[in-house]
Amino acid sequence: MRHGTTSIGDALREFMNKSRMKPRLIEVRIQDNWEKLMGKTIARYTQSIQLIDNKLIVTTTVAPLKQELTYSKDKIIKLVNEMLGENIVKEVMIR
């Protein structure tokens, strides 16, 4: 590349990192990959997944699943952060 030029991919990455849309895009990536990360059964009974201030909020109405997810919070954080390639999720809340 010529001096002072940037590739389109690098420019888009830089824009997204500075953009206010980044948290929402990360949330959508987590939602899209939730079934791969957690399996079909857990994904089927999960009503919503939100990312607010580095907290992943998982909503389900199934009591045994709530209990299972509560015990697996550290594993969920690790799986999601590995999928994202950066430490975004700091805490998991089960509702």
Side-chain angles (χ1 to χ4, degrees), residues 14-15 19 27 31 37 39-40 43-45 52 55 57 61 63 68 75-77 80-83 85 87-88 94:
E14 185 177 332
F15 171 75
S19 172
E27 181 179 312
Q31 291 169 349
L37 293 170
K40 287 185 179 192
R44 184 180 314 136
Y45 294 109
I52 301 172
K55 294 178 190 169
I57 301 168
T61 57
E68 180 71 28
K75 180 182 175 187
I76 294 169
I77 292 170
V80 171
N81 284 335
E82 284 177 0
M83 182 268 302
N87 271 348
I88 299 291
I94 311 299

Side-chain angles (χ1 to χ4, degrees), residues 34-45:
W34 187 248
E35 185 175 319
K36 290 180 207 168
L37 293 170
M38 302 304 297
K40 287 185 179 192
T41 305
I42 291 175
R44 184 180 314 136
Y45 294 109

Side-chain angles (χ1 to χ4, degrees), residues 14-28:
E14 185 177 332
F15 171 75
M16 292 312 301
N17 284 333
K18 293 178 181 178
S19 172
R20 293 184 337 196
M21 294 186 314
K22 184 179 180 181
R24 177 66 181 128
L25 291 173
I26 291 171
E27 181 179 312
V28 169

Side-chain angles (χ1 to χ4, degrees), residues 41-88:
T41 305
I42 291 175
R44 184 180 314 136
Y45 294 109
T46 302
Q47 272 70 44
S48 72
I49 301 160
Q50 297 175 298
L51 184 65
I52 301 172
D53 297 329
N54 296 347
K55 294 178 190 169
L56 186 67
I57 301 168
V58 180
T59 306
T60 182
T61 57
V62 181
L65 180 58
K66 283 183 186 179
Q67 191 70 26
E68 180 71 28
L69 292 174
T70 299
Y71 290 136
S72 303
K73 286 181 178 182
D74 291 336
K75 180 182 175 187
I76 294 169
I77 292 170
K78 182 180 176 219
L79 287 171
V80 171
N81 284 335
E82 284 177 0
M83 182 268 302
L84 294 172
E86 52 186 314
N87 271 348
I88 299 291

